[in-house]
Amino acid sequence: MTTDTPARLLQLLSLLQTPREWPGGELADRLGVSRRTVRRDIDRLRELGYPVQASKGSDGGYRLVAGKALPPLVLDDEEAVAIAVGLRAGAGHAVEGLDEASVRALAKLEQVLPSRLRRRVSTLQAATTPLTSGDGAVIAPETLTVMASAVAGQERLRFAYRAKDGTPTKRLTEPHRLVSTGRRWYLVAYDLDRADWRTFRVDRVSDPFATGARFASRELPTGDAAEYLRQSMRTQRETYVFEVTFAAPAAFVAARVPAWLGTPEPVDEDSCRIRSSVGDPVEWLAVRLASVECEFTVREPPELVEHIRELGARMTRATGG
């Protein structure tokens, strides 16, 4: 019998968070209390915001249902390890759709994981190799979680950084946001040594640590971290107008191209078009288009048209054609 009320409530909550309905008698037996105590504990959980639904009947079953807000979850050891391993595996690669919120969740979870569970997570990750697509650089999950924690806590962040030409530098920053482009992670931060905003590729960051020094939020020039990164990347590389027509519906193409490449606009029911400004090498873009699994026609730029023509001829020769 669990006489400590908080401990009993946590145990009851853990049972209710499994996807099934629990008869009142079974809950009473599991907790070693009376059915009346179970009913009182259910009322306490409801007061805390947990939407517990009771069904009518001789045994009065209970189940946790979806509510208006997400209440705190209670995880056992195996569940916590499974979630942490999944988040770490995704965070190590710039997976499209895995944004800063996912990294913040990982940072929160790893902050409260007991050391024995941290070791289990590290062991599992070291023993597995994910099969990923794309050319995104691999990032240590610890790097992302340290950065995410510094962003959330508004703590100054110090790290070593390798510039594009390989030059090593030391940076002291006020981190603002982590941004994922689908292939890479970037940190948007105020660089204290240079007294200006900067963007940093996270795969070039090493040895990050939060200094513990708090800072007041600064206002980004663009107001939005993603837009700031977009403008920063545009100024750092030469861009060109990219236009291609696909012989497939817009929904089909949208599911097969990254969002940063552009939004397919319907031409008719069976075709669509993408027109946008990009800065990626035409060699990479040609291969990316070939993976869309439908016929397409490149309108511009001329360099891309010529490269795809040469690539097609090379592929034909490779098959003996």
PDB file of all heavy atoms in Angstrom, residues 26 43-44 53 56 61 73 87 110 116 127-128 134 149 152 189 209-210 223 229 234 250 281 287-288 302-303 309 312:
ATOM      1  N   GLU A  26      -9.461  -2.495 -10.181  1.00  0.00           N
ATOM      2  CA  GLU A  26      -8.097  -2.860 -10.539  1.00  0.00           C
ATOM      3  C   GLU A  26      -7.110  -1.785 -10.103  1.00  0.00           C
ATOM      4  O   GLU A  26      -6.007  -2.086  -9.624  1.00  0.00           O
ATOM      5  CB  GLU A  26      -7.993  -3.088 -12.051  1.00  0.00           C
ATOM      6  CG  GLU A  26      -6.649  -3.643 -12.484  1.00  0.00           C
ATOM      7  CD  GLU A  26      -6.611  -4.007 -13.950  1.00  0.00           C
ATOM      8  OE1 GLU A  26      -7.681  -4.021 -14.598  1.00  0.00           O
ATOM      9  OE2 GLU A  26      -5.501  -4.284 -14.455  1.00  0.00           O
ATOM     10  N   ASP A  43     -10.064  12.846  -8.502  1.00  0.00           N
ATOM     11  CA  ASP A  43     -10.497  14.246  -8.386  1.00  0.00           C
ATOM     12  C   ASP A  43      -9.293  15.177  -8.246  1.00  0.00           C
ATOM     13  O   ASP A  43      -9.278  16.281  -8.798  1.00  0.00           O
ATOM     14  CB  ASP A  43     -11.432  14.414  -7.188  1.00  0.00           C
ATOM     15  CG  ASP A  43     -12.795  13.772  -7.425  1.00  0.00           C
ATOM     16  OD1 ASP A  43     -13.155  13.595  -8.614  1.00  0.00           O
ATOM     17  OD2 ASP A  43     -13.486  13.460  -6.434  1.00  0.00           O
ATOM     18  N   ARG A  44      -8.263  14.737  -7.499  1.00  0.00           N
ATOM     19  CA  ARG A  44      -7.058  15.558  -7.339  1.00  0.00           C
ATOM     20  C   ARG A  44      -6.355  15.749  -8.686  1.00  0.00           C
ATOM     21  O   ARG A  44      -5.873  16.850  -9.006  1.00  0.00           O
ATOM     22  CB  ARG A  44      -6.106  14.917  -6.329  1.00  0.00           C
ATOM     23  CG  ARG A  44      -6.604  14.929  -4.889  1.00  0.00           C
ATOM     24  CD  ARG A  44      -5.493  14.500  -3.941  1.00  0.00           C
ATOM     25  NE  ARG A  44      -5.939  14.475  -2.554  1.00  0.00           N
ATOM     26  CZ  ARG A  44      -6.333  13.377  -1.906  1.00  0.00           C
ATOM     27  NH1 ARG A  44      -6.329  12.201  -2.550  1.00  0.00           N
ATOM     28  NH2 ARG A  44      -6.711  13.449  -0.649  1.00  0.00           N
ATOM     29  N   GLN A  53     -11.359  10.742 -17.637  1.00  0.00           N
ATOM     30  CA  GLN A  53     -12.749  10.460 -17.972  1.00  0.00           C
ATOM     31  C   GLN A  53     -13.198   9.190 -17.248  1.00  0.00           C
ATOM     32  O   GLN A  53     -12.471   8.195 -17.216  1.00  0.00           O
ATOM     33  CB  GLN A  53     -12.889  10.272 -19.486  1.00  0.00           C
ATOM     34  CG  GLN A  53     -14.307  10.096 -19.972  1.00  0.00           C
ATOM     35  CD  GLN A  53     -14.346   9.909 -21.475  1.00  0.00           C
ATOM     36  OE1 GLN A  53     -14.005   8.853 -22.007  1.00  0.00           O
ATOM     37  NE2 GLN A  53     -14.743  10.960 -22.184  1.00  0.00           N
ATOM     38  N   LYS A  56     -19.451   4.970 -16.887  1.00  0.00           N
ATOM     39  CA  LYS A  56     -20.459   4.425 -15.986  1.00  0.00           C
ATOM     40  C   LYS A  56     -20.460   2.911 -16.040  1.00  0.00           C
ATOM     41  O   LYS A  56     -20.072   2.302 -17.021  1.00  0.00           O
ATOM     42  CB  LYS A  56     -21.838   4.971 -16.369  1.00  0.00           C
ATOM     43  CG  LYS A  56     -21.963   6.491 -16.203  1.00  0.00           C
ATOM     44  CD  LYS A  56     -23.353   6.957 -16.578  1.00  0.00           C
ATOM     45  CE  LYS A  56     -23.474   8.476 -16.406  1.00  0.00           C
ATOM     46  NZ  LYS A  56     -24.826   8.974 -16.778  1.00  0.00           N
ATOM     47  N   GLY A  61     -14.918   2.485 -14.742  1.00  0.00           N
ATOM     48  CA  GLY A  61     -13.591   2.571 -15.341  1.00  0.00           C
ATOM     49  C   GLY A  61     -13.117   4.004 -15.525  1.00  0.00           C
ATOM     50  O   GLY A  61     -13.910   4.948 -15.606  1.00  0.00           O
ATOM     51  N   LEU A  73       3.894  14.854 -18.271  1.00  0.00           N
ATOM     52  CA  LEU A  73       3.845  13.407 -18.459  1.00  0.00           C
ATOM     53  C   LEU A  73       4.729  12.710 -17.437  1.00  0.00           C
ATOM     54  O   LEU A  73       5.740  13.248 -17.001  1.00  0.00           O
ATOM     55  CB  LEU A  73       4.316  13.037 -19.864  1.00  0.00           C
ATOM     56  CG  LEU A  73       3.508  13.597 -21.030  1.00  0.00           C
ATOM     57  CD1 LEU A  73       4.159  13.195 -22.347  1.00  0.00           C
ATOM     58  CD2 LEU A  73       2.074  13.112 -20.984  1.00  0.00           C
ATOM     59  N   LEU A  87      15.008  11.258 -30.003  1.00  0.00           N
ATOM     60  CA  LEU A  87      15.294  12.677 -30.207  1.00  0.00           C
ATOM     61  C   LEU A  87      16.760  12.913 -30.534  1.00  0.00           C
ATOM     62  O   LEU A  87      17.098  13.727 -31.393  1.00  0.00           O
ATOM     63  CB  LEU A  87      14.909  13.478 -28.953  1.00  0.00           C
ATOM     64  CG  LEU A  87      13.407  13.663 -28.710  1.00  0.00           C
ATOM     65  CD1 LEU A  87      13.174  14.305 -27.345  1.00  0.00           C
ATOM     66  CD2 LEU A  87      12.783  14.515 -29.801  1.00  0.00           C
ATOM     67  N   GLU A 110      17.028  15.538 -21.143  1.00  0.00           N
ATOM     68  CA  GLU A 110      18.369  15.131 -20.710  1.00  0.00           C
ATOM     69  C   GLU A 110      18.784  15.845 -19.428  1.00  0.00           C
ATOM     70  O   GLU A 110      19.611  15.337 -18.666  1.00  0.00           O
ATOM     71  CB  GLU A 110      19.375  15.393 -21.826  1.00  0.00           C
ATOM     72  CG  GLU A 110      19.154  14.498 -23.044  1.00  0.00           C
ATOM     73  CD  GLU A 110      20.408  14.302 -23.860  1.00  0.00           C
ATOM     74  OE1 GLU A 110      21.301  15.154 -23.766  1.00  0.00           O
ATOM     75  OE2 GLU A 110      20.485  13.288 -24.580  1.00  0.00           O
ATOM     76  N   ARG A 116      22.291   7.081 -14.594  1.00  0.00           N
ATOM     77  CA  ARG A 116      22.211   5.696 -15.079  1.00  0.00           C
ATOM     78  C   ARG A 116      21.444   5.622 -16.402  1.00  0.00           C
ATOM     79  O   ARG A 116      21.772   4.818 -17.283  1.00  0.00           O
ATOM     80  CB  ARG A 116      21.556   4.796 -14.033  1.00  0.00           C
ATOM     81  CG  ARG A 116      20.163   5.243 -13.621  1.00  0.00           C
ATOM     82  CD  ARG A 116      19.584   4.432 -12.478  1.00  0.00           C
ATOM     83  NE  ARG A 116      18.324   4.982 -12.016  1.00  0.00           N
ATOM     84  CZ  ARG A 116      17.168   4.763 -12.593  1.00  0.00           C
ATOM     85  NH1 ARG A 116      17.111   3.948 -13.646  1.00  0.00           N
ATOM     86  NH2 ARG A 116      16.056   5.300 -12.129  1.00  0.00           N
ATOM     87  N   ALA A 127      25.644   2.205 -30.283  1.00  0.00           N
ATOM     88  CA  ALA A 127      25.536   0.868 -30.875  1.00  0.00           C
ATOM     89  C   ALA A 127      24.669   0.830 -32.116  1.00  0.00           C
ATOM     90  O   ALA A 127      24.531  -0.213 -32.750  1.00  0.00           O
ATOM     91  CB  ALA A 127      24.967  -0.109 -29.844  1.00  0.00           C
ATOM     92  N   THR A 128      24.068   1.965 -32.491  1.00  0.00           N
ATOM     93  CA  THR A 128      23.184   1.992 -33.655  1.00  0.00           C
ATOM     94  C   THR A 128      23.673   3.017 -34.667  1.00  0.00           C
ATOM     95  O   THR A 128      24.312   4.009 -34.319  1.00  0.00           O
ATOM     96  CB  THR A 128      21.735   2.345 -33.256  1.00  0.00           C
ATOM     97  OG1 THR A 128      21.727   3.621 -32.600  1.00  0.00           O
ATOM     98  CG2 THR A 128      21.164   1.306 -32.321  1.00  0.00           C
ATOM     99  N   GLY A 134      20.244  12.674 -47.832  1.00  0.00           N
ATOM    100  CA  GLY A 134      20.660  14.066 -47.914  1.00  0.00           C
ATOM    101  C   GLY A 134      22.138  14.213 -47.590  1.00  0.00           C
ATOM    102  O   GLY A 134      22.831  13.273 -47.226  1.00  0.00           O
ATOM    103  N   SER A 149      19.601  24.912 -24.509  1.00  0.00           N
ATOM    104  CA  SER A 149      19.461  25.308 -23.105  1.00  0.00           C
ATOM    105  C   SER A 149      19.905  26.746 -22.898  1.00  0.00           C
ATOM    106  O   SER A 149      19.291  27.506 -22.139  1.00  0.00           O
ATOM    107  CB  SER A 149      20.281  24.370 -22.214  1.00  0.00           C
ATOM    108  OG  SER A 149      19.794  23.044 -22.282  1.00  0.00           O
ATOM    109  N   ALA A 152      17.158  29.009 -24.286  1.00  0.00           N
ATOM    110  CA  ALA A 152      15.994  29.053 -23.394  1.00  0.00           C
ATOM    111  C   ALA A 152      16.294  29.817 -22.109  1.00  0.00           C
ATOM    112  O   ALA A 152      15.434  30.549 -21.603  1.00  0.00           O
ATOM    113  CB  ALA A 152      15.533  27.632 -23.066  1.00  0.00           C
ATOM    114  N   ALA A 189      22.813  34.435 -33.405  1.00  0.00           N
ATOM    115  CA  ALA A 189      23.270  34.952 -32.112  1.00  0.00           C
ATOM    116  C   ALA A 189      23.906  36.329 -32.284  1.00  0.00           C
ATOM    117  O   ALA A 189      24.330  36.710 -33.387  1.00  0.00           O
ATOM    118  CB  ALA A 189      24.278  33.992 -31.483  1.00  0.00           C
ATOM    119  N   PHE A 209      29.702  25.865 -24.393  1.00  0.00           N
ATOM    120  CA  PHE A 209      29.259  25.792 -22.998  1.00  0.00           C
ATOM    121  C   PHE A 209      28.631  27.120 -22.601  1.00  0.00           C
ATOM    122  O   PHE A 209      29.054  28.197 -23.031  1.00  0.00           O
ATOM    123  CB  PHE A 209      30.421  25.425 -22.064  1.00  0.00           C
ATOM    124  CG  PHE A 209      31.466  26.494 -21.905  1.00  0.00           C
ATOM    125  CD1 PHE A 209      31.403  27.429 -20.870  1.00  0.00           C
ATOM    126  CD2 PHE A 209      32.534  26.571 -22.795  1.00  0.00           C
ATOM    127  CE1 PHE A 209      32.372  28.403 -20.729  1.00  0.00           C
ATOM    128  CE2 PHE A 209      33.514  27.554 -22.657  1.00  0.00           C
ATOM    129  CZ  PHE A 209      33.428  28.463 -21.614  1.00  0.00           C
ATOM    130  N   ALA A 210      27.582  27.000 -21.783  1.00  0.00           N
ATOM    131  CA  ALA A 210      26.895  28.191 -21.276  1.00  0.00           C
ATOM    132  C   ALA A 210      27.699  28.756 -20.123  1.00  0.00           C
ATOM    133  O   ALA A 210      28.079  28.033 -19.198  1.00  0.00           O
ATOM    134  CB  ALA A 210      25.484  27.828 -20.834  1.00  0.00           C
ATOM    135  N   GLY A 223      13.511  40.855 -36.980  1.00  0.00           N
ATOM    136  CA  GLY A 223      12.434  40.457 -36.091  1.00  0.00           C
ATOM    137  C   GLY A 223      12.188  38.968 -36.037  1.00  0.00           C
ATOM    138  O   GLY A 223      11.561  38.454 -35.112  1.00  0.00           O
ATOM    139  N   LEU A 229      18.288  34.539 -41.043  1.00  0.00           N
ATOM    140  CA  LEU A 229      19.175  33.538 -41.631  1.00  0.00           C
ATOM    141  C   LEU A 229      19.048  33.539 -43.150  1.00  0.00           C
ATOM    142  O   LEU A 229      20.045  33.469 -43.876  1.00  0.00           O
ATOM    143  CB  LEU A 229      18.851  32.152 -41.075  1.00  0.00           C
ATOM    144  CG  LEU A 229      19.619  30.990 -41.699  1.00  0.00           C
ATOM    145  CD1 LEU A 229      21.111  31.126 -41.424  1.00  0.00           C
ATOM    146  CD2 LEU A 229      19.096  29.658 -41.164  1.00  0.00           C
ATOM    147  N   ARG A 234      21.661  34.779 -48.230  1.00  0.00           N
ATOM    148  CA  ARG A 234      21.540  35.403 -49.555  1.00  0.00           C
ATOM    149  C   ARG A 234      22.698  36.352 -49.830  1.00  0.00           C
ATOM    150  O   ARG A 234      23.184  36.462 -50.937  1.00  0.00           O
ATOM    151  CB  ARG A 234      20.205  36.141 -49.649  1.00  0.00           C
ATOM    152  CG  ARG A 234      19.837  36.581 -51.066  1.00  0.00           C
ATOM    153  CD  ARG A 234      18.456  37.197 -51.071  1.00  0.00           C
ATOM    154  NE  ARG A 234      17.449  36.202 -50.737  1.00  0.00           N
ATOM    155  CZ  ARG A 234      16.472  36.396 -49.861  1.00  0.00           C
ATOM    156  NH1 ARG A 234      16.388  37.549 -49.205  1.00  0.00           N
ATOM    157  NH2 ARG A 234      15.587  35.446 -49.621  1.00  0.00           N
ATOM    158  N   ALA A 250       0.857  19.479 -57.943  1.00  0.00           N
ATOM    159  CA  ALA A 250       1.633  20.240 -56.965  1.00  0.00           C
ATOM    160  C   ALA A 250       1.809  19.469 -55.666  1.00  0.00           C
ATOM    161  O   ALA A 250       2.888  19.503 -55.056  1.00  0.00           O
ATOM    162  CB  ALA A 250       0.952  21.583 -56.706  1.00  0.00           C
ATOM    163  N   PRO A 281      24.711  24.989 -55.472  1.00  0.00           N
ATOM    164  CA  PRO A 281      25.414  24.648 -56.719  1.00  0.00           C
ATOM    165  C   PRO A 281      24.479  23.945 -57.692  1.00  0.00           C
ATOM    166  O   PRO A 281      23.644  23.128 -57.292  1.00  0.00           O
ATOM    167  CB  PRO A 281      26.533  23.715 -56.246  1.00  0.00           C
ATOM    168  CG  PRO A 281      26.719  24.038 -54.796  1.00  0.00           C
ATOM    169  CD  PRO A 281      25.372  24.418 -54.288  1.00  0.00           C
ATOM    170  N   VAL A 287      20.914  16.891 -59.334  1.00  0.00           N
ATOM    171  CA  VAL A 287      20.692  15.574 -58.723  1.00  0.00           C
ATOM    172  C   VAL A 287      19.413  15.580 -57.896  1.00  0.00           C
ATOM    173  O   VAL A 287      18.647  14.614 -57.892  1.00  0.00           O
ATOM    174  CB  VAL A 287      21.906  15.184 -57.856  1.00  0.00           C
ATOM    175  CG1 VAL A 287      21.639  13.883 -57.113  1.00  0.00           C
ATOM    176  CG2 VAL A 287      23.150  15.059 -58.723  1.00  0.00           C
ATOM    177  N   ARG A 288      19.152  16.696 -57.197  1.00  0.00           N
ATOM    178  CA  ARG A 288      17.940  16.795 -56.369  1.00  0.00           C
ATOM    179  C   ARG A 288      16.691  16.723 -57.237  1.00  0.00           C
ATOM    180  O   ARG A 288      15.709  16.079 -56.882  1.00  0.00           O
ATOM    181  CB  ARG A 288      17.967  18.111 -55.571  1.00  0.00           C
ATOM    182  CG  ARG A 288      16.909  18.175 -54.472  1.00  0.00           C
ATOM    183  CD  ARG A 288      17.245  17.184 -53.383  1.00  0.00           C
ATOM    184  NE  ARG A 288      16.238  17.127 -52.345  1.00  0.00           N
ATOM    185  CZ  ARG A 288      15.109  16.438 -52.408  1.00  0.00           C
ATOM    186  NH1 ARG A 288      14.834  15.757 -53.509  1.00  0.00           N
ATOM    187  NH2 ARG A 288      14.277  16.391 -51.402  1.00  0.00           N
ATOM    188  N   PRO A 302      20.413  29.121 -67.310  1.00  0.00           N
ATOM    189  CA  PRO A 302      21.042  28.387 -68.421  1.00  0.00           C
ATOM    190  C   PRO A 302      22.106  27.399 -67.946  1.00  0.00           C
ATOM    191  O   PRO A 302      22.267  26.335 -68.543  1.00  0.00           O
ATOM    192  CB  PRO A 302      21.662  29.514 -69.266  1.00  0.00           C
ATOM    193  CG  PRO A 302      20.880  30.735 -68.920  1.00  0.00           C
ATOM    194  CD  PRO A 302      20.491  30.578 -67.485  1.00  0.00           C
ATOM    195  N   GLU A 303      22.822  27.753 -66.852  1.00  0.00           N
ATOM    196  CA  GLU A 303      23.871  26.863 -66.340  1.00  0.00           C
ATOM    197  C   GLU A 303      23.284  25.531 -65.873  1.00  0.00           C
ATOM    198  O   GLU A 303      23.884  24.469 -66.069  1.00  0.00           O
ATOM    199  CB  GLU A 303      24.625  27.527 -65.180  1.00  0.00           C
ATOM    200  CG  GLU A 303      25.385  28.774 -65.554  1.00  0.00           C
ATOM    201  CD  GLU A 303      24.501  30.021 -65.522  1.00  0.00           C
ATOM    202  OE1 GLU A 303      23.270  29.891 -65.326  1.00  0.00           O
ATOM    203  OE2 GLU A 303      25.042  31.124 -65.684  1.00  0.00           O
ATOM    204  N   ARG A 309      21.719  18.660 -69.178  1.00  0.00           N
ATOM    205  CA  ARG A 309      21.916  18.054 -70.506  1.00  0.00           C
ATOM    206  C   ARG A 309      23.158  17.173 -70.506  1.00  0.00           C
ATOM    207  O   ARG A 309      23.146  16.034 -70.989  1.00  0.00           O
ATOM    208  CB  ARG A 309      22.010  19.156 -71.554  1.00  0.00           C
ATOM    209  CG  ARG A 309      22.101  18.620 -72.990  1.00  0.00           C
ATOM    210  CD  ARG A 309      22.207  19.742 -74.005  1.00  0.00           C
ATOM    211  NE  ARG A 309      20.952  20.497 -74.048  1.00  0.00           N
ATOM    212  CZ  ARG A 309      20.829  21.776 -73.702  1.00  0.00           C
ATOM    213  NH1 ARG A 309      21.889  22.434 -73.256  1.00  0.00           N
ATOM    214  NH2 ARG A 309      19.676  22.385 -73.789  1.00  0.00           N
ATOM    215  N   GLY A 312      22.588  14.065 -68.291  1.00  0.00           N
ATOM    216  CA  GLY A 312      21.758  13.069 -68.964  1.00  0.00           C
ATOM    217  C   GLY A 312      22.547  12.278 -69.992  1.00  0.00           C
ATOM    218  O   GLY A 312      22.407  11.043 -70.089  1.00  0.00           O
TER     219      GLY A 312
END
